[in-house]
Amino acid sequence: MLKLLRYLNNYKKESLLGPLFKLLEASFELLVPLVVAAIIDKGIGGGDKGYTVKMCLLLAALGVVGLISSVTAQYFAAKAAVGFASKVRHVLFGHIQSLSYSDIDSLGTSTLVTRMTSDMNQVQSGVNMTLRLLLRSPFVVFGAMIMAFTVDAKAAMTFVVTIPLLSVVVFGIMLICIPLYRRVQERLDSVLLSTRENLTGVRVIRAFCKEEEETGRFLRRNEMLTEAQKFVGRISALMNPVTLVIIDFSIIVLVYIGALRVDQGMITQGAVVALYNYMSQILVELIKLANLIISVTKSIACGNRIQAVLDMQPSMRFPGEDEAKKGNPQSQYSVEFRHADLRYGHSGENALTDIDFNVKRGETVGIIGGTGSGKSSLVNMIPRFYDSFAGKVLVDGVNVKDYSRQELRGKIGVVPQKAVLFKGTVRDNMRWGNPDASDEEINAAIAVAQAAEVVAGKEGGLDYMIAQGGKNLSGGQRQRLTIARALVKKPEILILDDSASALDFATDAALRKAIREMEGSPTVFIVSQRAASIAHADKIIVLDDGRIAGIGNHDALLKSCEVYREIYNSQFSTENGGKEASR
């Protein structure tokens, strides 16, 4: 948490002025009991109405000045806290963007969302309250004790006993609560994970009639969160009653001693009232301090969770521009896999093993295999979304690990399995690949992606507003527009990761034909479950359980690769298989 405070550097003035104005307000507040004592002893006791009125006006003035100081302090504290949270949120989001797929997989999406939202809001609130109250409350507590000594030293000894006792209670409860609040946030992550999974997979849940089961799982996680919150709540709730009991006993002792001292003529009645007021101030401030500590405890737990993400070093390092290599345009092969293995996270087994093949420039490569055979894993190694565990992956004759991020991914256009469009116009979405693309270039890419009729049929054409996630488009329309977005980039290598699954056979065939005829002849990787979609590829790679089961063209694989033959026969009947595959 302390490491995060460096982001307050741009708000040094506000971080200083906020507490200073609070201390100024507290100073005026400490003068109030003395003024009240003077009114009782001299004004009321002496029968001097003029003096009483004058002192009452002074009380009003102290109240006004204190209010102005408090509002000013709140302004500076809020400005610093909001600016600090904005900076940390920006840094955290940027850091998350630098993490590899493996890092994000290990952390989990739900916990990252929690740390960006709930944890960040808690830290912001904690910083705000700290700037306003962290110095003010101890200042008032010890200031009240010092002022009590100026009134009567013997009666003020009550303060000397009370304050350390209260400190033990407050800080003891705080030390117990800090790890418990961390556990609460972890349970909250679990609840958010369950919520996210249910919202994302609501159709699957309903299709398999799993509503009751998922409701039960959510209730169990929610129950665990509730129990954790109740447990820490019970402990933190002890703070107020325990401190009140201590203060009440202290007030009883103080009034008793004060009464004896007044009876002996050693102090005045106004002095006793002043001492009582100072003890009341301590009570109020300690309640504030207790609430502050609870808030700060939560903030520290949340801040540590945020810092844990920031401390996580990306597992994937890219060389700097000076160290990075450039691809060799004269290289014989566009992409090469040299006995590459892939292993996810800390898994003990390889997801891909001994992948070895090469692809010439302009070739179309089909990748097919059963579910879970590693098709997407293979193509994700080309743009270096995942690093090879062993072996090498080369693009234009250079190891992908020797490229800079911009250089490598500038060569590659990727259309992932899940078609994702962002809220904005069609034009805005298309320019993700090339911010400077003209409308002509965008329309050309849309035509190749077989999406010209989709855009033409929408009101506004390229200015048609797409909803978040492309919710106002069909699955096929989303897929065609995501393919167009990748084509606008004019990539040297185009990866279509099962991105035409929602297209009919005719549209799929037209798309493949248009891509083959594209200017520049990109190297194309087509991942598909359909044998028909890759039958005309220059090279087909068949995967089975993370290994290459066969490489060749369609006809050769039908003769030599049993896995490919089984996939093909499961999709086409023997009688019309040749006709279907030739479409």
Side-chain angles (χ1 to χ4, degrees):
M1 175 64 185
L2 292 176
K3 293 181 181 179
L4 294 179
L5 296 182
R6 67 181 181 270
Y7 298 112
L8 272 173
N9 287 341
N10 293 333
Y11 299 92
K12 291 179 180 177
K13 181 183 72 173
E14 289 82 0
S15 300
L16 181 64
L17 290 176
L20 282 179
F21 274 99
K22 267 297 178 182
L23 293 181
L24 182 61
E25 178 210 354
S27 300
F28 292 128
E29 189 173 325
L30 290 173
L31 295 175
V32 171
L34 295 180
V35 176
V36 172
I39 292 174
I40 292 172
D41 292 337
K42 296 180 182 179
I44 299 174
D48 189 344
K49 292 184 179 179
Y51 183 82
T52 302
V53 172
K54 183 171 67 174
M55 287 297 102
C56 288
L57 291 175
L58 177 59
L59 280 178
L62 289 174
V64 172
V65 175
L67 175 63
I68 294 172
S69 300
S70 178
V71 171
T72 306
Q74 176 61 50
Y75 168 77
F76 286 121
K79 184 177 180 181
V82 171
F84 162 80
S86 176
K87 179 65 177 176
V88 175
R89 194 179 289 112
H90 178 77
V91 170
L92 179 60
F93 185 79
H95 183 72
I96 291 172
Q97 293 296 315
S98 73
L99 298 177
S100 67
Y101 278 23
S102 296
D103 297 333
I104 294 174
D105 291 343
S106 64
L107 285 171
T109 306
S110 60
T111 187
L112 290 176
V113 172
T114 305
R115 296 180 201 207
M116 281 288 296
T117 52
S118 175
D119 287 354
M120 194 66 69
N121 290 338
Q122 192 65 55
V123 170
Q124 177 180 322
S125 175
V127 170
N128 192 347
M129 292 186 68
T130 298
L131 291 176
R132 290 191 294 117
L133 299 176
L134 186 63
L135 290 181
R136 183 191 189 281
S137 293
F139 179 81
V140 171
V141 170
F142 289 102
M145 183 177 69
I146 292 170
M147 296 299 288
F149 272 98
T150 64
V151 176
D152 184 65
K154 186 173 181 179
M157 291 303 295
T158 309
F159 291 77
V160 178
V161 177
T162 303
I163 291 174
L165 188 59
L166 288 169
S167 299
V168 170
V169 172
V170 169
F171 288 101
I173 291 176
M174 179 188 74
L175 291 175
I176 295 172
C177 287
I178 286 177
L180 294 178
Y181 279 121
R182 189 181 301 119
R183 189 182 304 169
V184 167
Q185 290 301 120
E186 291 171 357
R187 300 276 174 86
L188 178 61
D189 284 346
S190 177
V191 171
L192 287 175
L193 173 62
S194 181
T195 304
R196 183 175 178 274
E197 286 178 343
N198 277 271
L199 290 175
T200 304
V202 62
R203 294 185 180 182
V204 178
I205 291 169
R206 290 178 178 175
F208 288 90
C209 299
K210 293 288 185 179
E211 292 95 337
E212 290 186 8
E213 183 178 322
E214 288 300 316
T215 300
R217 187 168 67 138
F218 176 83
L219 288 176
R220 286 191 298 273
R221 292 181 174 181
N222 193 37
E223 185 82 17
M224 292 172 65
L225 172 62
T226 303
E227 288 301 319
Q229 288 176 325
K230 284 181 178 179
F231 183 67
V232 69
R234 291 189 192 103
I235 295 175
S236 60
L238 289 173
M239 193 174 294
N240 281 357
V242 173
T243 52
L244 281 171
V245 168
I246 294 172
I247 287 290
D248 287 342
F249 274 112
S250 300
I251 289 174
I252 292 171
V253 173
L254 181 63
V255 172
Y256 176 75
I257 294 174
L260 293 178
R261 304 277 287 173
V262 170
D263 191 50
Q264 295 168 3
M266 302 185 72
I267 60 174
T268 63
Q269 293 174 333
V272 176
V273 173
L275 289 170
Y276 174 81
N277 284 338
Y278 281 128
M279 187 62 78
S280 298
Q281 284 183 348
I282 291 175
L283 171 62
V284 172
E285 289 306 319
L286 281 172
I287 291 174
K288 288 182 182 178
L289 185 60
N291 292 328
L292 170 64
I293 288 173
I294 292 173
S295 178
V296 169
T297 300
K298 292 179 181 178
S299 298
I300 290 173
C302 294
N304 289 338
R305 283 159 50 81
I306 293 171
Q307 187 60 51
V309 177
L310 293 175
D311 287 340
M312 183 177 185
Q313 295 299 317
S315 60
M316 189 178 291
R317 294 283 187 176
F318 286 85
E321 292 295 334
D322 297 335
E323 303 172 354
K325 296 181 180 179
K326 302 283 187 180
N328 179 13
Q330 306 304 319
S331 173
Q332 181 181 2
Y333 299 113
S334 175
V335 176
E336 297 175 73
F337 278 72
R338 296 182 181 175
H339 304 286
D341 295 350
L342 175 64
R343 183 176 297 176
Y344 286 110
H346 302 289
S347 173
E349 297 183 1
N350 289 341
L352 294 172
T353 303
D354 196 29
I355 305 300
D356 189 77
F357 67 91
N358 51 60
V359 180
K360 294 181 179 179
R361 297 180 183 281
E363 281 190 332
T364 297
V365 180
I367 301 175
I368 196 169
T371 301
S373 59
K375 303 184 294 298
S376 296
S377 299
L378 189 150
V379 293
N380 280 335
M381 294 171 72
I382 301 173
R384 205 185 169 197
F385 291 154
Y386 291 97
D387 265 340
S388 58
F389 179 72
K392 295 180 180 179
V393 179
L394 289 80
V395 171
D396 290 345
V398 176
N399 193 328
V400 292
K401 295 181 180 180
D402 296 329
Y403 278 101
S404 67
R405 189 194 306 266
Q406 291 75 15
E407 179 71 18
L408 174 63
R409 293 180 182 166
K411 293 173 174 287
I412 303 170
V414 181
V415 185
Q417 283 181 314
K418 184 178 180 181
V420 177
L421 294 169
F422 296 87
K423 185 177 181 179
T425 63
V426 174
R427 183 184 290 104
D428 292 337
N429 273 273
M430 294 301 104
R431 283 180 173 167
W432 270 61
N434 180 7
D436 301 321
S438 64
D439 286 358
E440 290 74 16
E441 291 173 316
I442 292 173
N443 284 321
I446 288 174
V448 172
Q450 310 303 303
E453 62 180 23
V454 175
V455 177
K458 301 296 182 182
E459 185 178 353
L462 293 179
D463 293 316
Y464 176 72
M465 184 62 67
I466 296 175
Q468 182 179 354
K471 299 297 183 183
N472 54 344
L473 298 172
S474 69
Q477 290 173 340
R478 285 198 299 270
Q479 284 192 339
R480 281 179 278 178
L481 287 177
T482 52
I483 293 170
R485 180 175 58 193
L487 295 176
V488 168
K489 187 177 181 179
K490 297 181 179 178
E492 298 175 20
I493 300 170
L494 177 63
I495 298 173
L496 303 177
D497 185 3
D498 203 12
S499 53
S501 58
L503 305 184
D504 57 68
F505 282 100
T507 305
D508 186 16
L511 170 65
R512 286 184 277 110
K513 180 175 183 296
I515 291 176
R516 281 199 304 271
E517 296 172 353
M518 277 180 61
E519 183 182 352
S521 300
T523 304
V524 181
F525 288 82
I526 301 175
V527 176
S528 181
Q529 302 279 4
R530 297 175 179 173
S533 296
I534 60 169
H536 293 285
D538 300 305
K539 183 179 296 182
I540 299 172
I541 299 172
V542 184
L543 294 177
D544 182 37
D545 197 22
R547 295 178 180 271
I548 293 179
I551 298 180
N553 59 29
H554 172 71
D555 294 330
L557 288 172
L558 278 178
K559 296 176 182 177
S560 63
C561 182
E562 183 180 351
V563 175
Y564 184 75
R565 191 162 52 247
E566 288 178 357
I567 294 172
Y568 179 81
N569 289 337
S570 68
Q571 296 178 10
F572 304 108
S573 62
T574 306
E575 294 78 9
N576 63 0
K579 296 178 182 179
E580 292 288 346
S582 63
R583 286 187 183 181

